[in-house]
Amino acid sequence: AYIYENDKQKAITYLNHFANLVRKILQNSNQKEALLIDEIEIIKHYIELEGMLLEKDFSWEINIAENIATDEIYIPTLLIQPFVENAFKHGLRHKKGEKKLIISVIPLSEQVIRITVDDNGIGRKASQLINQKNKPLHQSFAMQNIKKRIDLLNQNSNFDIEMQILDKENPQQETLGTQIVLTIKYHE
């Protein structure tokens, strides 16, 4: 669309992020683990691409605790990206007004980190209603696949991963978005 509209600057920006994203994914795709810094770089490129589609009303941030050595900590390859994708696909794209995505990484101990993917989208219930209306026969397998992958990683890797999905609401029970909490314990 940017090329068609002759918006050369946005087309170049989009293609650069896309090329960097594909390159990083290909580099990491044959590895079971990746450095946290590399996973964060993949997420940044992915967010930039998706964010260009949302334009003005979208903001994002990645907060990493100062005492986390992102160039020394390994996590399962492409563990975070599906949750970020779900935030865009099911929460933020359908929201009117300000859209925000916050990813945080904090240490819980020397071998445990917590990663949160927090959006202020329309929430899971509203997203399910939209999906049922638009594609009544469609059944989403994304979250089932993510859960299966985490189960396999817990059985066959050096990681213990816990996942929580929190539907955020205000006191009036109005949806404020969704938060995914991943607790990753590395053991040798």
Side-chain angles (χ1 to χ4, degrees):
Y2 296 134
I3 293 169
Y4 180 74
E5 294 170 2
N6 202 26
D7 191 338
K8 294 175 185 172
Q9 187 59 45
K10 283 188 178 178
I12 289 169
T13 300
Y14 190 90
L15 288 173
N16 281 337
H17 283 298
F18 183 75
N20 287 327
L21 177 66
V22 170
R23 180 179 47 80
K24 289 300 273 180
I25 288 173
L26 289 174
Q27 284 175 346
N28 290 346
S29 65
N30 63 349
Q31 300 175 18
K32 291 180 181 178
E33 304 172 0
L35 285 169
L36 180 57
I37 193 168
D38 292 332
E39 289 296 300
I40 295 297
E41 188 175 337
I42 286 172
I43 296 305
K44 286 179 180 178
H45 289 300
Y46 184 79
I47 292 171
E48 287 290 343
L49 287 172
E50 289 286 355
M52 289 180 77
L53 300 174
L54 298 178
E55 296 186 1
K56 298 175 188 172
D57 292 340
F58 174 65
S59 64
W60 63 279
E61 55 190 73
I62 296 178
N63 302 315
I64 301 173
E66 290 181 19
N67 56 339
I68 289 189
T70 58
D71 58 345
E72 295 175 6
I73 295 173
Y74 284 88
I75 65 170
T77 304
L78 294 174
L79 181 65
I80 307 167
Q81 187 276 335
F83 298 106
V84 175
E85 182 177 338
N86 278 349
F88 280 104
K89 186 175 182 180
H90 300 293
L92 298 172
R93 281 195 191 137
H94 302 292
K95 181 174 170 69
K96 297 194 185 329
E98 178 190 11
K99 301 162 189 73
K100 188 160 184 127
L101 177 66
I102 301 172
I103 298 170
S104 303
V105 183
I106 61 168
L108 298 182
S109 71
E110 200 170 295
Q111 293 181 306
V112 182
I113 62 170
R114 175 168 291 151
I115 300 171
T116 59
V117 178
D118 194 333
D119 71 67
N120 72 337
I122 64 170
R124 295 188 306 155
K125 291 176 190 173
S127 177
Q128 286 174 347
L129 291 174
I130 290 171
N131 288 338
Q132 288 173 357
K133 183 188 276 186
N134 292 338
K135 303 173 191 172
L137 300 177
H138 175 73
Q139 185 178 6
S140 175
F141 294 102
M143 194 53 71
Q144 289 174 329
N145 287 338
I146 292 168
K147 289 177 182 178
K148 284 181 185 176
R149 181 169 183 236
I150 288 173
D151 289 343
L152 287 171
L153 286 167
N154 286 338
Q155 293 171 13
N156 301 314
S157 72
N158 292 329
F159 297 101
D160 289 325
I161 303 167
E162 293 178 16
M163 176 184 70
Q164 290 179 290
I165 303 171
L166 306 171
D167 297 309
K168 302 184 311 180
E169 295 180 337
N170 65 16
Q172 294 78 32
Q173 296 185 330
E174 298 169 328
T175 299
L176 300 175
T178 305
Q179 183 180 69
I180 304 294
V181 180
L182 295 170
T183 304
I184 304 169
K185 178 180 181 182
Y186 181 80
H187 53 85
E188 296 182 37

